[in-house]
């Protein structure tokens, strides 16, 4: 990957500029660092990076999260376990 193509380039926000809060469940892991959660609202799988959160996600965890975008597409940011 090109070093300039890392990090968040945009976020999903409301018309008033607040981050959209979504809900879902951690559904699977590709490895110890990367996984996916299933969004209640979009009914799609959204990628996340485990080390970017202040808890260790586990399959089945119920979470809230926001959506960030980078050159690889959408991914979950600011995940919080419920």
């Amino acid at each position: 990957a090109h070093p300039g193509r890392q990090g968040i380039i945009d976020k999903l926000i409301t018309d008033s500029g607040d981050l959209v809060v979504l809900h879902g469940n951690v559904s699977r892991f590709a490895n110890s660092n990367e996984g996916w959660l299933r969004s209640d609202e979009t009914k799609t799988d959204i990628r996340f990076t485990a080390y970017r959160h202040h808890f260790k996600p586990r399959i089945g965890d119920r979470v809230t999260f926001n959506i960030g975008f980078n050159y690889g597409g959408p991914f979950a940011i600011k995940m919080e376990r419920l």
Side-chain angles (χ1 to χ4, degrees), residues 7-13 19-22 46-48 52-53 65-79:
I8 299 170
I9 57 172
D10 207 356
K11 297 175 186 171
L12 184 62
I13 58 171
L19 287 170
V20 173
V21 177
L22 299 157
I46 299 172
R47 184 175 54 93
F48 68 88
R52 294 189 181 266
H53 305 285
F65 62 98
N66 307 114
I67 298 287
F69 299 93
N70 65 15
Y71 290 99
F75 63 100
I77 59 172
K78 299 187 178 185
M79 282 175 48

Side-chain angles (χ1 to χ4, degrees), residues 15-33:
D15 290 339
S16 60
D18 297 316
L19 287 170
V20 173
V21 177
L22 299 157
H23 304 81
N25 290 78
V26 175
S27 58
R28 60 191 163 102
F29 285 90
N31 54 50
S32 63
N33 187 47

Side-chain angles (χ1 to χ4, degrees), residues 25-67:
N25 290 78
V26 175
S27 58
R28 60 191 163 102
F29 285 90
N31 54 50
S32 63
N33 187 47
E34 185 177 42
W36 284 266
L37 57 84
R38 184 74 172 179
S39 168
D40 296 348
E41 291 82 5
T42 66
K43 308 296 188 231
T44 58
D45 291 332
I46 299 172
R47 184 175 54 93
F48 68 88
T49 305
Y51 74 86
R52 294 189 181 266
H53 305 285
H54 63 273
F55 69 97
K56 181 171 175 47
R58 296 182 306 249
I59 291 175
D61 279 351
R62 185 86 179 130
V63 296
T64 61
F65 62 98
N66 307 114
I67 298 287

